[in-house]
Amino acid sequence: MSELVFYVNGKKIVEKNPSPTTLLADVLRYKLKLTGTKVSCGEGGCGSCTVMVSWFDRSTSKILHYSVNACIVPICLLHGLAVTTVEAVGSTKTRLHELQERLVSGHGIQCGFCTPGMVMSMYALLRSNPVPTELQIEHALKGNLCRCTGYRPILDAFRSFSKDSGCPMGDRCCRNKDKKNSSDVVENCNENKNESDMGKQELIFPSELQLSDVYDQQTLEFKSDEVTWLRPVCLKDLLLLKKQHPEALLAAGGTNVAFYLRNASREKPLVIIATTHITELRSFEENEDGFLVGAMTSMTLLENKLMSLIDKHSETKTRLYHSLLDALCLFGSPQIRNRATIGGSLATASRLADVNVLLLAAGSHVKIASTDGEREVKIHDFFTGKSTTCLKPNEVITDVLLPFSTQDEYCGFYKQSPRKDLTLADVNAGLLMEFEAKNSSTVKNAFFAFGGLSSMLAVAKKSSSFVIGRKLDGSLLNELMLSLANELDQFVSGDDAKSFKVAVAQGFMFKFFLKISHQRFPKLEFLRLFKEEERYLLSSQADLQQKHSGVQVYDIITNQSETDSVGQPVPHRYAKQCATGEAVFIDDILPSQGELYLTLVTSTKASAKILKIDPSKALAMKGVVGFLDHTSIISSNKTGLYLDEEIFATEKVDFVGQTIGAVVAESHEIARKAARAVVIEYEELQPITTIEDAISHNSFHSWPGDMGAINYGNVSKAFGSCDHVIEGELKVGSQEHFYMETNSVRVVPKGEDGEMDIYCGAQFATGIQMVVASALNVPCNRIVVHTKRMGGAFGGKEFRSYLVTLPSALAAHRFNRPVRCSLERRQDMQITGYRRPYLAKFKVGFNNDGKVLALSLDMYSNDGFHPEISPIFMAQSLFYSDNCYAIPNIHVRGHLCKTNLPPTTAMRGAGVPQGVLICEYWMTKIREINMYRGGDVTFISVPIEDSMTRCFDEVLKQSNYEQALVNIENFNQQSAFLKKGIAVTPVKFSPGLPPSWCMAGAIVNVYLDGSVLLYHGGVESGQGLHTKMIQIASRVFDLSIDKIHISETSTGVIPNSVTTGGSSGTDLNGGAVLDACNQLMARLKPIKDSNPNGKWEDWVKTANEQKINLSASGYYSHAYKEDFDWKTGKGRPYSYYTYGSAVTQVEIDCLSGSYVILKVDIVMDVGKSLNPAIDVGQIEGAFVMGTGLYALEEHLFGANGHLETSGAGKYHIPTISSIPLEMNVSLLKDCGNPQAVYSSKGIGEPPLLLSNSVFFAIENAVIAARRQAGLSPDFAFNSPATTKQIQSACGLGPQHLLKSLVT
C-alpha cells in the first residue's frame, strides 16, 4: 500500500506516495494552509505546534484523544488516525470555543504565538476528561512554553474548567461586585462554569475510522530518494522486515525519528519500520511475577495501567510501580509521553532516560524476538555500553516485565535537572534495597543505578555489595556515603560538574535511606525530621505537585462613560484571533506563485580566514534556484549601526554564525538541505571568547566621545573617612530572548522602480527600510516595511533583524520573485544576539550605621565582535549603579569587551538588570538606611517621587514581611535539608529612548460609517500597545473600541518611526494618537455643538457633507529634551521613573540544589493605568522572564565560539513549574505621571528587575545552609543561581548530613 489516509479537522486526506521525511506540521502549514499550528523550536520542546490526534482503540471500543507535537510527528505515522487543529476548535467567524473565550477574557494572551498550542493541550485534556482537577490541568500544560505571560493568567483561565475551582478571594471576588461601582477590584476569579455548552460544537470523530479496521490492517511502504518507510501489521512481518533490513530504525511513538529524518549526512538510504499497528506489541499481561507490558505501550498509557495496578494491589507489592510513576511524572512532556514508548526508551539505551535507570535497579526482564526465535534477558545484561544494548541487528523488543515488589523490597527514583519539566536529567537514580525477612534490618540485596554520571548508565556495584549483610543504621549510612563517593568519583572523571554530580547522587542515597527507614521502621526515630522535611523527602512526585495561585489588585476608573475604555481591564484587542489561530504571523502569510525560500549559510568558526566557498553541490540539487555571497552585492557590503559589519563575509569570519552566503530554493526543506551542502574551507585563528580573555588581551570596543565613566562627588576622599570598606566581584550571566516566533521575513518585489514590500516581525521598521534601501541602492521611498504583529521580541528584533532581511531582499531583487526566510530556532539563537554577560568589580565604603559614603565600580560586558548598541546599554548600567539608593560619592566605569562571539543586542531592560543586580548584591545588608526618599535627586539629576518608598512600604505590609522573617528563621533552625530564604528589593526604571529618538507619529482616519482606522509608528509584540492606542482613541471620541481598528504598522503610512522599545511605546505613540484624535474632535466640535443629541455616525456624516477632513496626522515629541553630559557629569538623561518593590520567599533543597519559589508579592507604581489587566500581565511576564535571567537560564558559549545551550532542549526558560506558587500583584493607588498620556507610566521592563529578589532569596537560604554546615556566609554566588551553584554553595556533604543522626 503506497497511499496514506488520515483525517484533518474531519476532512479525509489522501496522500499518494508521501515522502517519509515529511512532518505533520509541514503538511498542516504548507499544504493544507492550516497555519494556526505554529512551529517555534522544531524539536518538540515548546508546545507551540500542539495538535490533537484521535484514534479508535478496538481493544476497548473507545475513542482516545491525546496531544502531540506536530513538528516531530512524521506524517507516515498517521495512517488511519484523525488530527484536530486549533482551526476546528473555534473561530471568530462562527463562535469561539468556551476554553478560547475564557482564555481571552482571562487575559491569558499577549503575543499569541504560543496560544494555539496552549488551546490544543487543554482541548485534548477536556476531550479525554471533561472535568479535570486543577493539578491535572497544570500537568497537561507542562509541555507548553510561554515567554510573555508568566503563565498565571493562562492557568487561571483554564482552571475554571476544574471540578475543584473557585475564587481565592471568596466574598471579595470581582464577580460579586459591579465593576463600575467598585474602585478596588480583585482580578483572578476561577468561577466554575462547567455548566457551559461545551461539547455542543466538538468535531465528530470520523465514522469511517470507527466502523472499519481496514486502515489498521494495511501494510504500508513509502519511499523517497533517501528514506524508505515500512509499516507491517503483525509481529511475524516485522521480524521478517528486520531480517531484511537489520540496520532499520523502528518507529513506535516517533519522538526521535524526526531528528534522523532531518539528518543530511547519511551515507546510505535510511529504512524506518513503523511498529504502531502491531497488536502483539501493545499487549498487557499480569502474572505472578509482575506486569508484562508490550514494548509499544506509550508512557501515558503505562501511567494509567500502573495506577490501576496500584489501586488493585497492596502498597508492598506495587512499590516499583509507585517509583515508576515518579519517573513518568518527570518524563518529557505530556505531548512526548503520549507518543514515547517503554520499548523505545529501552532501545535508545540513553544514559539519561528516567525509566531506564529505574528498571535497571528493579531487575526487570526484557523479552526479545527475531526470526531465529525468542529470548528473555535480564535488564542488567540488556545495556552493554554507551547507547548500546544486547539487541542483535535483526531483533526487536516485544515485552518488558515490571516485577512486583516483595514485602521486604524497597525502591526509589530520583532526578535532578536544571528545570523540573521538559528537561533531561543532570543526574538520576534508580535505587533498590531488599531485607532478609519481615521486620529485619539486615540488607539481603541491593542495586544502585545512576544516570548522567558517565557516557552510559552507571551501576555502583561496590556500594551495592557493600550494604549486603549489614544492618540499616547510622553507621551503615555513614560508611555507604563514603563508599558511594569513592566509587562514583571514577565514573565522572573529567566532568566539570564532577563534585556536583557526586554530591547529588549522595543526596539521592540519603533520601532513599531515609525513605526506607521510615517505611520499614515507622516508630524508629532514625533521623530528626522536621515536618516539612518529612513531606518533601518522603513523598512521591505526585504528592509534591502543588497548585499555583495569585491575586491581582488594582483600581478601576468609575466616573466615565460606558464607551470610554481607558483604565478598564480590556482584553488584548487581537486575543480572539490568537486563540483561534487566525492571527497571521510572518510565516503564516500564504505564499504567492513562484515564491522562493532562503536559508543562510553561516560560519562554523569563531575566528578564521575564508579560503574557499564552494556552493556547487547545493546548486546541483533539484529545486535550488541560486546562491548569494559577497559577490552578489549591488551596492555596499557594509551594514550595521556603525557600518562595521558585512552583509556577507568576504575574507574573514569573526564569530560563529556570521553570514557567509545564502541558498535560495523552491521550498524551506530544499533550501535548508542545500545550505548544509555548501562547502566552506577555513584557516583557523585563535579566538577570544570570554571577558577574562578580553581583559588579558586588552581587547575592548572604544567608547564614542566622552562616554564610559561617571564621577560624582569625591570618591577618594570619601573612602578615607569610611568605617568599613568592602571589595568583591560578581558575574551576571547572559540570556537568550527565546521569543516564540523566530526572526522571519517575506520580501515581495513590485517589479518596477525598485519598489519592494517587506513583511517582517521587527521592532524598528524604519531601520529595516534604511538598511535595505542602502543595500539595493534605491531611495527609502521605494521600500515599504509592514509589521502586523510579532510573536514576542523583547529587544531581539530591534537591531539584528536585518540578518534575515538583507539577504532576502537581495535575493528578491536578483530573481524578481517573492522570497521568505524563517530562521530555525538553533540558528536564530546562534546569530541574532543576546543579553550581554557582565563581570563587576566593586569597592564600597560605609559607616557603622550602614550609610554608604562611596562606591567605586568597574563593569565589564562581553559584547561580541561588533559593539552594535553596546555603549548605550552600558551607559544604562552606569546610570542605574545606584538603583534606589542615595550614594554621595560615585565613580563608575564601563568596559566593552571585544570577543569572537556573535554581537550582543538589546534585551528587555537594556543593561539595567545587570546594573541593578550588581548594586543590590553589595547593598543587601544595609538597604533601607540608604534608600532615596521622595524629593531626593539622583546622581544623574532625576528627581525621586514618594511613590518609590510607598511601593516599598506597601509590599512589606502586603507580604507580612516581618512575620515571614520570623517564620523562616524558625523553619531554618528546625530543618536540616530544606532551607527557606526571603528577600525584598526595590526598583526604579525610566521608560524611554535616547532623547533624539523620543518622537512618534500617528494617522487616524474616520470613515463614513463611523468606523475608525488608526495607524501609529509602534509595533505590537504582545505588550498590548495596539490595545492601549485604541483605548486612547475611544476616550477622545467617546466611542466603543469595537469601532476602532488597527491593521498594521507600515513605513508607507507612518514615516521615520523610531524603534518600539525601552518601555516607551505607549508614551510616544499614545501622545501621537492623542494629538491626531484631538485634532479630529476639534474639527467635529461645531457639528456636535449644533447637534448635541446626535450620534457619532451623524456627526461624521455631517462633517463629510461639509467637506471637513476626517483624517488627521498626529505627532508627539517628548517635551523633555535635556541629555547627559559625560564630560562634566551633569545633565538629566531621564524624564521620570516607574517604581516597584517585591518580596520573594523561596525554599531550597540543600541536597540537590533545586528550589521552589513559594510566594512573591509585588507592588508597582504604574501611574494611572490605561489598562490594568495588560499592565499586570506585563508585570507578571517580566518577573518570570527575570526569574529565568537571575535563577535558571544558562546561556553558554564554548571556547570554540559555538553556543552550547542551543535549542529548546538545552536552553531552559521558565515553565509552569518554575513560576511562584503564589504571586500577588498590586498596583499602587493614587499615583499619576504628568509626563505621559493620561498620567500612565511605561511598564514593560521595570518589573523584570524585581526578580532579582528571587536570586537574593535563594542566596539567603544558602547562607542559612552554610551556617548550619559551619561555613562562612561570605562566598562567591553568581547569577544565574542554578541548581548546580545552589547545591555546591550549600556545602552540605555527607559529614553534615550525618550530623542529624540520633546516636
Side-chain angles (χ1 to χ4, degrees):
M1 178 74 176
S2 59
E3 190 174 80
L4 180 71
V5 180
F6 62 104
Y7 281 76
V8 176
N9 298 340
K11 179 182 178 181
K12 187 174 183 178
I13 306 297
V14 179
E15 288 277 332
K16 296 184 182 295
N17 300 311
S19 170
T21 62
T22 303
L23 302 176
L24 174 57
D26 296 329
V27 172
L28 295 177
R29 292 181 56 79
Y30 304 130
K31 182 170 184 177
L32 302 180
K33 313 303 182 188
L34 297 172
T35 56
T37 301
K38 310 302 181 189
V39 175
S40 179
C41 72
E43 56 187 78
C46 73
S48 294
C49 64
T50 301
V51 298
M52 185 178 79
V53 172
S54 306
W55 68 291
F56 186 70
D57 184 357
R58 303 195 188 280
S59 66
T60 61
S61 297
K62 292 182 179 179
I63 301 170
L64 303 181
H65 309 283
Y66 53 91
S67 58
V68 303
N69 297 118
C71 73
I72 59 170
V73 174
I75 190 176
C76 294
L77 280 175
L78 297 174
H79 190 67
L81 304 182
V83 177
T84 303
T85 71
V86 70
E87 286 88 350
V89 175
S91 169
T92 61
K93 298 173 184 176
T94 53
R95 58 178 297 190
L96 267 62
H97 190 282
E98 185 67 26
L99 72 86
Q100 294 167 321
E101 288 279 9
R102 297 189 198 183
L103 193 58
V104 170
S105 62
H107 309 287
I109 299 168
Q110 289 189 22
C111 86
F113 198 85
C114 73
T115 305
M118 292 283 183
V119 168
M120 292 312 300
S121 288
M122 185 65 189
Y123 182 73
L125 173 65
L126 294 177
R127 289 298 299 268
S128 301
N129 183 3
V131 190
T133 66
E134 290 187 31
L135 285 177
Q136 286 172 333
I137 290 171
E138 293 200 14
H139 198 61
L141 297 176
K142 287 183 177 180
N144 294 76
L145 298 181
C146 175
R147 196 55 153 164
C148 296
T149 65
Y151 299 103
R152 191 276 311 164
I154 299 172
L155 285 174
D156 280 356
F158 289 157
R159 188 180 286 127
S160 62
F161 289 97
S162 167
K163 59 186 176 186
D164 48 8
S165 67
C167 181
M169 296 309 298
D171 291 339
R172 292 183 63 211
C173 169
C174 61
R175 297 187 186 276
N176 296 330
K177 296 188 176 187
D178 177 0
K179 287 189 178 181
K180 280 290 180 180
N181 297 319
S182 172
S183 62
D184 186 13
V185 170
V186 180
E187 186 188 315
N188 179 15
C189 179
N190 301 324
E191 180 188 17
N192 197 330
K193 296 183 184 177
N194 291 319
E195 297 79 13
S196 69
D197 57 358
M198 207 191 88
K200 295 181 180 179
Q201 65 185 90
E202 309 300 2
L203 198 66
I204 298 174
F205 185 76
S207 59
E208 179 189 19
L209 302 183
Q210 185 170 353
L211 298 176
S212 171
D213 66 351
V214 61
Y215 298 124
D216 299 343
Q217 302 303 320
Q218 290 174 338
T219 58
L220 304 176
E221 180 176 352
F222 307 122
K223 284 187 176 183
S224 68
D225 293 339
E226 295 183 329
V227 181
T228 297
W229 184 284
L230 305 170
R231 191 193 82 170
V233 294
C234 67
L235 181 59
K236 179 182 177 181
D237 289 348
L238 169 63
L239 299 180
L240 286 172
L241 287 173
K242 199 70 170 79
K243 182 178 181 179
Q244 296 170 22
H245 307 282
E247 302 302 319
L249 293 175
L250 298 186
T255 53
N256 283 325
V257 170
F259 302 100
Y260 290 100
L261 294 177
R262 290 173 178 169
N263 185 0
S265 59
R266 287 187 289 272
E267 296 180 359
K268 56 182 180 180
L270 177 68
V271 177
I272 297 175
I273 304 174
T275 61
T276 52
H277 284 66
I278 299 175
T279 56
E280 296 98 321
L281 300 184
R282 289 192 276 120
S283 61
F284 303 98
E285 179 185 329
E286 184 181 335
N287 56 41
E288 60 182 13
D289 296 322
F291 189 49
L292 198 63
V293 180
M296 256 295 297
T297 303
S298 71
M299 298 302 185
T300 297
L301 183 55
L302 180 60
E303 277 185 289
N304 296 333
K305 293 290 184 180
L306 291 175
M307 286 189 281
S308 297
L309 288 168
I310 288 171
D311 291 338
K312 179 180 178 181
H313 296 286
S314 66
E315 181 274 333
T316 57
K317 198 172 184 178
T318 58
R319 285 174 182 151
L320 170 62
Y321 303 164
H322 281 280
S323 295
L324 273 170
L325 287 179
D326 284 348
L328 293 172
C329 182
L330 301 176
F331 184 98
S333 66
Q335 293 93 321
I336 297 296
R337 288 194 292 274
N338 289 337
R339 297 293 299 176
T341 64
I342 187 169
S345 178
L346 290 174
T348 62
S350 169
R351 68 189 183 97
L352 298 175
D354 298 332
V355 172
N356 293 5
V357 72
L358 181 57
L359 295 184
L360 180 62
S364 300
H365 287 218
V366 181
K367 288 192 173 185
I368 298 168
S370 70
T371 52
D372 299 328
E374 298 181 353
R375 65 188 179 113
E376 183 173 325
V377 299
K378 294 180 178 179
I379 198 166
H380 304 157
D381 301 319
F382 180 77
F383 298 117
T384 58
K386 180 181 179 181
S387 301
T388 59
T389 70
C390 70
L391 285 172
K392 298 175 183 177
N394 66 330
E395 290 183 322
V396 300
I397 302 171
T398 58
D399 301 279
V400 181
L401 177 66
L402 308 180
F404 286 129
S405 302
T406 67
Q407 185 175 357
D408 302 302
E409 192 175 56
Y410 300 84
C411 59
F413 170 77
Y414 302 91
K415 177 178 181 178
Q416 174 55 36
S417 55
R419 180 180 67 188
K420 190 170 183 179
D421 304 315
L422 281 171
T423 312
L424 293 174
D426 284 328
V427 186
N428 57 17
L431 307 176
L432 179 136
M433 205 177 283
E434 184 181 6
F435 293 85
E436 291 284 0
K438 187 175 182 180
N439 298 325
S440 171
S441 62
T442 303
V443 180
K444 178 182 179 181
N445 183 39
F447 199 96
F448 307 143
F450 298 90
L453 300 181
S454 65
S455 60
M456 58 183 289
L457 291 173
V459 178
K461 294 181 179 180
K462 292 181 180 178
S463 298
S464 300
S465 300
F466 174 77
V467 302
I468 296 175
R470 298 286 302 273
K471 289 186 179 296
L472 186 76
D473 56 22
S475 176
L476 175 60
L477 179 56
N478 186 21
E479 295 175 42
L480 176 58
M481 285 294 183
L482 297 175
S483 170
L484 199 63
N486 291 331
E487 185 171 8
L488 297 184
D489 188 72
Q490 301 171 21
F491 287 109
V492 291
S493 58
D495 194 323
D496 291 339
K498 177 177 180 177
S499 59
F500 162 73
K501 290 187 174 183
V502 171
V504 168
Q506 286 179 297
F508 291 162
M509 184 61 71
F510 185 79
K511 292 178 181 181
F512 182 55
F513 215 91
L514 185 65
K515 172 183 175 181
I516 295 173
S517 68
H518 279 259
Q519 283 187 343
R520 191 165 180 83
F521 308 107
K523 295 183 180 180
L524 174 64
E525 191 185 355
F526 183 66
L527 292 173
R528 297 190 187 99
L529 271 186
F530 187 43
K531 181 179 178 181
E532 287 297 309
E533 287 181 315
E534 185 170 335
R535 177 191 65 80
Y536 185 81
L537 298 180
L538 305 181
S539 297
S540 68
Q541 285 297 326
D543 294 334
L544 291 173
Q545 303 300 308
Q546 299 182 65
K547 296 183 292 187
H548 295 81
S549 64
V551 173
Q552 304 78 45
V553 181
Y554 47 76
D555 283 348
I556 294 291
I557 301 174
T558 57
N559 56 339
Q560 61 190 46
S561 72
E562 290 292 332
T563 53
D564 180 359
S565 63
V566 168
Q568 302 299 321
V570 176
H572 194 291
R573 173 61 180 83
Y574 303 101
K576 291 182 178 181
Q577 290 87 334
C578 294
T580 58
E582 296 167 31
V584 178
F585 294 86
I586 299 303
D587 204 34
D588 298 339
I589 301 172
L590 297 181
S592 55
Q593 187 174 2
E595 188 154 330
L596 300 174
Y597 299 81
L598 180 142
T599 296
L600 300 178
V601 177
T602 60
S603 169
T604 59
K605 307 297 179 184
S607 181
K609 295 179 181 178
I610 299 174
L611 302 180
K612 183 181 180 182
I613 302 173
D614 182 6
S616 57
K617 289 183 179 179
L619 291 171
M621 292 181 178
K622 183 180 179 180
V624 173
V625 175
F627 176 77
L628 305 178
D629 63 6
H630 64 90
T631 62
S632 310
I633 295 297
I634 298 170
S635 180
S636 170
N637 195 33
K638 292 294 184 180
T639 190
L641 289 177
Y642 301 107
L643 296 180
D644 60 342
E645 300 185 54
E646 292 182 317
I647 300 174
F648 297 114
T650 52
E651 300 176 350
K652 186 176 178 289
V653 290
D654 299 301
F655 53 89
V656 175
Q658 184 173 351
T659 304
I660 296 174
V663 171
V664 184
E666 293 176 352
S667 74
H668 273 310
E669 185 179 359
I670 295 171
R672 289 166 179 169
K673 182 178 177 181
R676 292 191 289 266
V678 176
V679 176
I680 313 291
E681 293 182 8
Y682 304 92
E683 179 186 325
E684 288 196 65
L685 305 172
Q686 183 62 41
I688 296 172
T689 58
T690 67
I691 290 176
E692 291 78 6
D693 285 347
I695 294 172
S696 64
H697 287 84
N698 195 32
S699 178
F700 298 99
H701 296 293
S702 59
W703 282 88
D706 297 311
M707 293 177 69
I710 301 175
N711 284 288
Y712 179 77
N714 190 326
V715 172
S716 299
K717 182 178 179 181
F719 274 123
S721 62
C722 294
D723 296 327
H724 306 279
V725 175
I726 58 173
E727 298 185 57
E729 293 187 1
L730 175 67
K731 292 181 180 179
V732 185
S734 58
Q735 186 180 31
E736 162 64 25
H737 305 85
F738 210 94
Y739 30 69
M740 300 311 293
E741 179 194 26
T742 60
N743 270 281
S744 304
V745 67
R746 181 174 184 260
V747 181
V748 181
K750 303 289 281 291
E752 60 178 297
D753 289 336
E755 291 184 338
M756 189 173 284
D757 281 333
I758 298 174
Y759 300 87
C760 65
Q763 295 172 249
F764 191 11
T766 296
I768 294 294
Q769 179 189 41
M770 292 176 66
V771 296
V772 171
S774 175
L776 298 181
N777 198 26
V778 299
C780 284
N781 63 7
R782 305 297 203 279
I783 309 297
V784 179
V785 179
H786 307 263
T787 302
K788 182 83 172 178
R789 59 174 58 85
M790 295 183 289
F794 315 112
K797 298 173 181 176
E798 196 163 359
F799 302 111
R800 307 297 296 172
S801 293
Y802 72 84
L803 290 171
V804 296
T805 307
L806 286 177
S808 300
L810 288 165
H813 175 85
R814 176 172 173 176
F815 299 109
N816 197 32
R817 291 164 67 179
V819 174
R820 76 170 66 200
C821 176
S822 182
L823 293 182
E824 292 184 293
R825 173 63 59 183
R826 291 174 183 267
Q827 188 175 51
D828 188 286
M829 293 180 70
Q830 177 70 51
I831 74 175
T832 59
Y834 46 93
R835 191 190 300 278
R836 48 194 50 77
Y838 274 44
L839 168 65
K841 299 183 179 183
F842 58 83
K843 179 180 178 182
V844 181
F846 58 95
N847 283 342
N848 290 327
D849 62 359
K851 181 65 178 176
V852 174
L853 299 181
L855 167 65
S856 176
L857 173 64
D858 285 275
M859 287 186 275
Y860 298 83
S861 60
N862 189 336
D863 293 287
F865 194 78
H866 297 288
E868 203 209 44
I869 202 165
S870 295
I872 293 176
F873 293 156
M874 177 57 84
Q876 289 278 85
S877 299
L878 300 179
F879 289 154
Y880 284 88
S881 57
D882 64 335
N883 193 21
C884 295
Y885 311 108
I887 306 170
N889 303 282
I890 296 177
H891 184 200
V892 289
R893 297 160 295 277
H895 308 271
L896 312 175
C897 296
K898 183 178 182 180
T899 62
N900 293 108
L901 295 182
T904 58
T905 193
M907 189 170 180
R908 199 175 199 169
V912 181
Q914 298 96 320
V916 168
L917 182 76
I918 292 163
C919 176
E920 291 292 332
Y921 187 75
W922 56 260
M923 182 61 83
T924 302
K925 306 297 187 297
I926 48 177
R927 174 179 292 111
E928 290 190 53
I929 193 173
N930 292 289
M931 283 185 68
Y932 286 119
R933 304 293 168 184
D936 288 349
V937 177
T938 69
F939 77 106
I940 52 172
S941 305
V942 182
I944 298 293
E945 301 164 62
D946 63 2
S947 56
M948 189 189 84
T949 49
R950 286 180 58 208
C951 285
F952 191 81
D953 294 341
E954 188 66 28
V955 83
L956 295 179
K957 179 180 177 182
Q958 175 179 305
S959 64
N960 200 4
Y961 179 75
E962 295 298 332
Q963 185 60 52
L965 275 176
V966 173
N967 295 343
I968 287 173
E969 182 63 28
N970 291 337
F971 178 94
N972 289 340
Q973 288 178 0
Q974 298 179 68
S975 173
F977 319 113
L978 299 177
K979 296 294 181 184
K980 291 184 178 181
I982 187 170
V984 54
T985 55
V987 68
K988 60 174 173 55
F989 184 99
S990 177
L993 298 170
S996 60
W997 287 10
C998 289
M999 54 189 174
I1003 289 178
V1004 179
N1005 299 327
V1006 180
Y1007 294 92
L1008 294 180
D1009 62 353
S1011 62
V1012 177
L1013 180 62
L1014 191 158
Y1015 287 96
H1016 62 90
V1019 176
E1020 176 63 53
S1021 63
Q1023 79 280 46
L1025 179 60
H1026 283 354
T1027 307
K1028 288 185 174 181
M1029 297 303 100
I1030 289 172
Q1031 287 180 274
I1032 291 169
S1034 83
R1035 166 167 283 187
V1036 179
F1037 294 148
D1038 197 13
L1039 191 63
S1040 169
I1041 59 174
D1042 295 331
K1043 288 185 172 291
I1044 306 169
H1045 181 67
I1046 295 177
S1047 175
E1048 65 173 4
T1049 302
S1050 170
T1051 59
V1053 180
I1054 305 296
N1056 311 321
S1057 60
V1058 299
T1059 183
T1060 303
S1063 302
S1064 64
T1066 297
D1067 288 5
L1068 299 179
N1069 295 288
V1073 169
L1074 184 64
D1075 179 43
C1077 291
N1078 283 335
Q1079 290 180 44
L1080 287 168
M1081 287 307 293
R1083 297 172 195 170
L1084 291 174
K1085 187 177 184 302
I1087 297 173
K1088 286 183 65 179
D1089 290 345
S1090 64
N1091 183 15
N1093 296 321
K1095 297 180 179 180
W1096 167 260
E1097 291 80 3
D1098 299 329
W1099 301 330
V1100 169
K1101 181 180 179 182
T1102 302
N1104 183 66
E1105 291 170 350
Q1106 295 182 9
K1107 300 180 181 179
I1108 293 175
N1109 185 4
L1110 291 175
S1111 176
S1113 175
Y1115 186 76
Y1116 175 82
S1117 63
H1118 205 293
Y1120 176 73
K1121 301 181 182 298
E1122 195 174 348
D1123 203 353
F1124 185 79
D1125 188 323
W1126 288 86
K1127 188 172 184 178
T1128 64
K1130 304 294 184 181
R1132 176 180 165 181
Y1134 306 129
S1135 58
Y1136 72 88
Y1137 288 123
T1138 297
Y1139 303 100
S1141 289
V1143 173
T1144 295
Q1145 301 177 49
V1146 303
E1147 180 181 271
I1148 66 170
D1149 175 0
C1150 302
L1151 304 181
S1152 66
S1154 61
Y1155 65 89
V1156 176
I1157 305 174
L1158 301 172
K1159 184 184 179 188
V1160 172
D1161 290 278
I1162 298 174
V1163 176
M1164 291 295 302
D1165 163 26
V1166 300
K1168 295 187 185 301
S1169 175
L1170 296 177
N1171 187 318
I1174 284 179
D1175 287 348
V1176 166
Q1178 288 293 292
I1179 292 167
E1180 293 174 327
F1183 188 92
V1184 171
M1185 176 180 274
T1187 299
L1189 168 65
Y1190 293 126
L1192 177 60
E1193 299 173 34
E1194 288 190 285
H1195 187 257
L1196 304 174
F1197 285 94
N1200 61 2
H1202 284 265
L1203 182 62
E1204 295 182 340
T1205 51
S1206 180
K1210 292 184 178 180
Y1211 189 77
H1212 307 128
I1213 72 169
T1215 66
I1216 281 176
S1217 297
S1218 308
I1219 69 174
L1221 291 179
E1222 181 182 347
M1223 189 171 187
N1224 305 314
V1225 178
S1226 296
L1227 303 187
L1228 194 66
K1229 298 180 180 180
D1230 303 322
C1231 297
N1233 179 30
Q1235 302 190 62
V1237 61
Y1238 293 136
S1239 296
S1240 61
K1241 285 189 174 185
I1243 192 59
E1245 292 164 292
L1248 183 142
L1249 314 180
L1250 290 176
S1251 48
N1252 65 49
S1253 60
V1254 176
F1255 176 87
F1256 292 111
I1258 291 172
E1259 183 187 42
N1260 289 334
V1262 170
I1263 290 173
R1266 291 177 65 85
R1267 284 175 176 154
Q1268 175 185 310
L1271 301 174
S1272 170
D1274 297 321
F1275 60 102
F1277 198 65
N1278 295 309
S1279 173
T1282 62
T1283 54
K1284 292 179 184 178
Q1285 187 178 197
I1286 294 168
Q1287 194 281 330
S1288 300
C1290 284
L1292 287 181
Q1295 70 276 20
H1296 302 108
L1297 298 175
L1298 297 170
K1299 282 183 180 180
S1300 298
L1301 287 175
V1302 177
T1303 58

